[in-house]
Amino acid sequence: MAAGVVLVGGGFVAANAATTSGDAKKAGVHYPVDKKADGVAAVVSAANAFLNTLDSDQQAETVLDYSQANATAWSNLPCGSSCRVGIQTGSLSDEQLAALKNVLKVALGTGEGTGYEHVLETLLADDQLASAESSGSGPAAPSSDASASADPSADPSATASGAPTGAPPSGGTGAGGGGYGSDIYLMAFLGTPSVDGTWQLQFGGHHLAVNVTYKDGKVAGASPYFTGVEPTSWTADDGTTYEPMAKFRNGMLALTGSLSTEQLAKAKLSESFSDVLLGPGEDGQFPETKEGIKASELSPKQQKLVLAAIHPWVAGVDDATAKKLLKTYARELNKTYIGYSGGTGLDTQGDYVRIDGPSVWIEFVCQNGFVYQDKVHYHTVYRDHTRDYGSEFSFS
């Protein structure tokens, strides 16, 4: 991954006409900012600083009720605001975008390999898709009235069972519809950001869903977390090569590559998968029976590879929370299962790897590309059996 990522040429940093300038500016609520805060208090302070750049209407778009309906309103589809809540990046001024980015930086960590850097590179990938689409090198983004094709990513909501996992794309581009590009991502605070209440930070768009739940000044949940990418790698005009999900893929490859023939036979799943099983709309639907090979049957070196494979997804949140989660998953390792379907190369449609523990749940699947049809692209999801949405909702 490239360090010091700067987004250029996309809506995430471009100035927009729909800003809060002149007479159109309406005074909003003033939120207190504490520049000396740390931990969750620093996230609250950054959130308040962002809210202070917004007018009253924009604040009303951003700060929403903390409800199950709002909390679960995320998707991996390019469906813009039709399947998400919050304020859209493409409607913000440069000042507001900078403040929004600072919220993500404080909440997700800074530096190489952090959740913040991964978000930036995911948005770059979506700008790459938008560019390819506009240049005619690929088909248009899928729409609600588009006919199904043999490519499962034309309907990325399909699960192994064929059931939908999210709202269909609305079609079109811009504020109300779907499409590709870093200006079609949304930020929401579900509940008022605070150090003594319960609220959720939600940021997402095509191939990205960040959900962090805070309770009484602590991170209560860092999942669900969906991340995918198309194209999987590309070289920018300045010669920089980006591969946002290399560490995610490589950890899984190292793990499956360490398995013996006998272990691979035990790890093989009976089903085949065209997408992740527990994507949007599948909250709480964990399989009742765990499948694959138990980590207790692996060597100590292989068990370390399991934890190393888990780490990139857990690293999507702040470092302190990531360490706590990884310690929990390490304690539960002997009861954690590793399974795969298709091949183990993660380079072919239907290649699929799963890690399923008492708490952790991670899926990685390859799909044929939709815009870059001669290549695969990745869908992944990280969940926690007990900590999704900070354990605030029941999905029985």
Side-chain angles (χ1 to χ4, degrees):
M1 295 177 70
V5 177
V6 178
L7 291 183
V8 292
F12 197 64
V13 294
N16 288 276
T19 65
T20 58
S21 60
D23 295 336
K25 175 89 174 181
K26 289 183 279 186
V29 175
H30 178 76
Y31 291 87
V33 175
D34 181 1
K35 295 182 179 180
K36 296 181 180 180
D38 58 11
V40 172
V43 179
V44 173
S45 182
N48 287 344
F50 170 57
L51 291 171
N52 286 337
T53 69
L54 307 180
D55 66 28
S56 58
D57 289 341
Q58 291 175 313
Q59 288 179 355
E61 284 186 76
T62 307
V63 182
L64 304 170
D65 290 339
Y66 183 59
S67 67
Q68 184 166 321
N70 285 336
T72 59
W74 59 271
S75 179
N76 61 281
L77 299 176
C79 45
S81 59
S82 68
C83 61
R84 300 175 181 89
V85 296
I87 192 163
Q88 187 166 309
T89 51
S91 71
L92 301 177
S93 68
D94 284 347
E95 175 195 8
Q96 293 166 334
L97 282 168
L100 183 153
K101 288 172 66 178
N102 189 54
V103 177
L104 296 174
K105 183 183 294 185
V106 174
L108 308 181
T110 59
E112 186 174 359
T114 63
Y116 175 64
E117 182 190 66
H118 182 70
V119 165
L120 294 184
E121 291 200 354
T122 301
L123 297 176
L124 277 176
D126 226 39
D127 282 335
Q128 186 76 9
L129 276 184
S131 177
E133 181 185 48
S134 64
S135 68
S137 60
S143 65
S144 57
D145 54 0
S147 60
S149 75
D151 174 11
S153 67
D155 179 13
S157 63
T159 65
S161 64
T165 63
S170 65
T173 59
Y180 304 125
S182 60
D183 59 345
I184 315 176
Y185 285 71
L186 286 89
M187 169 77 88
F189 303 135
L190 309 181
T192 301
S194 68
V195 294
D196 56 5
T198 300
W199 62 284
Q200 181 179 327
L201 185 159
Q202 192 176 78
F203 181 77
H206 177 229
H207 277 161
L208 181 68
V210 174
N211 294 288
V212 184
T213 305
Y214 300 91
K215 186 173 183 178
D216 298 331
K218 298 179 180 180
V219 175
S223 56
Y225 175 57
F226 186 102
T227 183
V229 69
E230 184 183 7
T232 58
S233 65
W234 73 96
T235 300
D237 292 341
D238 64 359
T240 303
T241 297
Y242 296 97
E243 197 173 5
M245 294 199 65
K247 64 181 183 294
F248 297 81
R249 180 202 61 217
N250 292 345
M252 289 297 200
L253 288 176
L255 172 57
T256 57
S258 76
L259 301 179
S260 68
T261 301
E262 182 181 355
Q263 289 172 328
L264 283 170
K266 288 185 178 181
K268 186 78 171 181
L269 302 174
S270 58
E271 310 100 315
S272 59
F273 298 87
S274 62
D275 204 347
V276 295
L277 187 63
L278 297 187
E282 296 296 326
D283 299 296
Q285 303 305 303
F286 299 97
E288 293 183 5
T289 303
K290 297 187 184 302
E291 299 180 76
I293 187 169
K294 210 171 183 180
S296 60
E297 300 179 46
L298 304 180
S299 70
K301 183 178 180 180
Q302 289 174 316
Q303 290 178 355
K304 289 182 179 179
L305 291 176
V306 177
L307 293 175
I310 291 171
H311 182 262
W313 284 271
V314 177
V317 73
D318 67 276
D319 289 347
T321 300
K323 289 179 181 178
K324 289 180 182 178
L325 286 168
L326 203 59
K327 284 183 179 179
T328 297
Y329 301 154
R331 287 195 301 269
E332 299 174 344
L333 191 59
N334 284 342
K335 297 180 181 179
T336 298
Y337 288 73
I338 295 87
Y340 78 97
S341 182
T344 58
L346 297 181
D347 57 5
T348 303
Q349 161 75 26
D351 285 0
Y352 172 93
V353 183
R354 176 194 301 172
I355 299 175
D356 181 15
S359 297
V360 69
W361 171 278
I362 290 172
E363 297 177 84
F364 188 118
V365 69
C366 293
Q367 295 186 338
N368 290 331
F370 185 74
V371 172
Y372 295 84
Q373 296 185 350
D374 59 336
K375 301 177 181 178
V376 296
H377 79 285
Y378 307 140
H379 280 189
T380 82
V381 70
Y382 157 56
R383 288 184 178 269
D384 189 295
H385 286 260
T386 61
R387 296 172 182 82
D388 275 4
Y389 307 106
S391 309
E392 288 295 312
F393 307 115
S394 174
F395 300 101
S396 56

